[in-house]
């Protein structure tokens, strides 16, 4: 375990916004988690910071990183155990190298396996839980369990893991024979073409209402390129909010509030944020 004190969290958020944290704790072995959490202390598990908006003032929070839990283990028969700190890009390359498929549609989603499993991330009709067999989690901050996918209440952008604030340590995948290179390259190309990846962002800001697309609702309301300070609704993909360089936490909050109010007043849909807002 490595503990750093008074750490700037700006570089740990893909939005490049964040203040000084009480500490940043790097976990090196899974058993270190069982004795980590103390009463009357705030903790937050930080992955790749691709889905978390972090307050830019002082944060009385102990951030916990699992990036050093980054092993991929071949279990045979197309089964693979992947630790929480493994980046999806790394896992995708592993599947490509070993000719294992089934998750090509989610290629290019930014984030670590732990974070993606926690929220059941997905794209193009595929979710990460489609190929999960079981997940190893820290339950109640003290007990490590391996739970089957059926026990985890997975759904659109949610799981029991997320609901109960359990910590994903790793997941076992049962993959298909054959990696579809063309499909993977197609999804990566679409992300590059459709998403404003040249600017700091947190991906999709709002969940899609049932039967609707948040990006289309935002666009229909004339909010493309609407700006608060250095934060702007992306013209390329209006469900992405982009930082032009010096945006503040309050700029993001004010922009989110304005979008929700305008979309609701014009369409009747109340958008729900997909990103995590941490203060």
């Amino acid at each position: 375990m490595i503990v750093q004190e008074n750490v700037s969290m700006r570089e740990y958020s893909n939005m490049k916004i964040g203040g000084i944290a009480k500490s940043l704790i790097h976990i090196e072995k899974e058993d270190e988690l069982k004795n980590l959490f103390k009463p009357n202390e705030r903790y937050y598990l930080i992955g790749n910071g691709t889905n978390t908006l972090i307050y830019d003032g002082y944060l009385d929070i102990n951030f916990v990183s699992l990036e050093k839990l980054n092993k991929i283990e071949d279990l045979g028969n197309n089964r693979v155990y992947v630790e929480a700190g493994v980046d999806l890009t790394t896992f995708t390359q592993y599947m490509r190298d070993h000719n294992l498929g089934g998750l090509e549609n989610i290629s290019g989603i930014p984030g670590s396996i732990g974070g993606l499993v926690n929220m059941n991330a997905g794209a193009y009709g595929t979710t990460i839980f489609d190929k999960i067999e079981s997940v190893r989690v820290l339950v109640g901050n003290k007990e490590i369990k391996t739970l089957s996918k059926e026990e985890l209440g997975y759904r659109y952008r949610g799981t029991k893991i997320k609901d109960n604030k359990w910590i994903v340590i790793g997941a076992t995948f049962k993959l298909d024979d054959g990696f579809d290179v063309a499909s993977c390259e197609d999804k990566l190309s679409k992300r590059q073409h459709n998403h404003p990846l040249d600017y700091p962002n947190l991906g999709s800001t709002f969940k899609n209402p049932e039967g609707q697309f948040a990006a289309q609702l935002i666009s229909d309301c004339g909010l493309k390129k609407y700006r608060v300070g250095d934060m702007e609704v992306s013209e390329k993909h209006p469900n992405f909010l982009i930082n032009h360089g010096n945006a503040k936490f309050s700029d993001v909050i004010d922009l989110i509030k304005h979008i929700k109010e305008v979309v609701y007043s014009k369409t009747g849909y109340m958008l729900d944020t997909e990103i995590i807002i941490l203060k």
Side-chain angles (χ1 to χ4, degrees):
M1 183 187 302
I2 301 169
V3 181
Q4 299 171 277
E5 297 182 349
N6 299 316
V7 178
S8 172
M9 297 305 296
R10 185 177 187 276
E11 295 306 313
Y12 289 88
S13 170
N14 211 49
M15 188 64 95
K16 301 305 178 189
I17 296 174
I20 302 299
K22 183 175 183 178
S23 74
L24 175 61
I25 303 166
H26 295 274
I27 298 299
E28 297 177 287
K29 298 177 182 178
E30 66 172 49
D31 282 348
E32 293 172 348
L33 287 165
K34 291 192 288 188
N35 300 310
L36 176 65
F37 301 95
K38 304 294 188 294
N40 304 316
E41 290 278 337
R42 288 184 69 194
Y43 295 88
Y44 182 77
L45 188 69
I46 187 77
N48 286 12
T50 51
N51 195 45
T52 305
L53 174 64
I54 302 175
Y55 179 57
D56 51 13
Y58 177 72
L59 297 145
D60 189 23
I61 299 172
N62 302 289
F63 286 82
V64 180
S65 170
L66 303 185
E67 65 180 358
K68 294 186 181 298
L69 299 183
N70 55 15
K71 294 178 183 176
I72 301 177
E73 182 181 358
D74 180 3
L75 302 177
N77 194 29
N78 292 4
R79 296 172 66 247
V80 181
Y81 179 71
V82 186
E83 288 190 314
V86 174
D87 188 87
L88 179 61
T89 300
T90 302
F91 184 37
T92 301
Q93 187 61 50
Y94 177 93
M95 289 185 283
R96 186 169 185 163
D97 292 344
H98 292 79
N99 201 27
L100 297 171
L103 294 175
E104 292 88 347
N105 280 351
I106 70 171
S107 299
I109 293 180
S112 61
I113 293 301
L116 300 178
V117 170
N118 176 70
M119 67 176 292
N120 190 22
Y124 300 107
T126 297
T127 72
I128 198 165
F129 260 84
D130 289 347
K131 293 301 170 184
I132 281 179
E133 189 176 84
S134 63
V135 181
R136 192 162 174 80
V137 294
L138 180 73
V139 176
N141 293 336
K142 60 183 179 180
E143 185 180 6
I144 294 175
K145 292 183 176 182
T146 298
L147 301 175
S148 70
K149 65 187 295 182
E150 291 77 19
E151 295 176 276
L152 293 170
Y154 63 95
R155 58 193 184 278
Y156 175 70
R157 302 300 179 267
T159 62
K160 282 186 178 179
I161 303 168
K162 184 177 180 180
D163 298 340
N164 295 312
K165 298 183 179 179
W166 296 340
I167 293 177
V168 175
I169 295 171
T172 298
F173 293 83
K174 173 67 172 178
L175 299 166
D176 300 335
D177 285 317
F179 183 84
D180 191 335
V181 175
S183 177
C184 174
E185 294 294 342
D186 175 62
K187 302 309 181 294
L188 291 172
S189 176
K190 285 180 177 177
R191 285 188 176 276
Q192 189 67 39
H193 183 265
N194 297 328
H195 297 170
L197 304 181
D198 294 338
Y199 294 93
N201 68 82
L202 294 178
S204 294
T205 306
F206 301 100
K207 298 177 183 177
N208 290 325
E210 187 172 354
Q212 297 289 333
F213 292 99
Q216 190 62 54
L217 292 171
I218 295 167
S219 178
D220 290 345
C221 291
L223 289 168
K224 282 185 177 181
K225 300 195 75 175
Y226 185 87
R227 188 162 173 164
V228 175
D230 251 7
M231 285 304 304
E232 182 181 81
V233 178
S234 169
E235 183 176 28
K236 202 172 192 180
H237 192 309
N239 199 14
F240 279 57
L241 306 184
I242 58 176
N243 180 358
H244 279 275
N246 295 299
K248 300 176 182 178
F249 177 87
S250 59
D251 294 337
V252 190
I253 297 299
D254 290 345
L255 185 53
I256 288 173
K257 180 180 178 182
H258 180 76
I259 293 168
K260 292 176 73 171
E261 288 176 348
V262 172
V263 170
Y264 182 70
S265 67
K266 290 189 174 183
T267 71
Y269 287 98
M270 177 56 72
L271 294 177
D272 184 21
T273 50
E274 183 170 317
I275 64 172
I276 296 166
I277 299 173
L278 188 65
K279 185 175 181 179

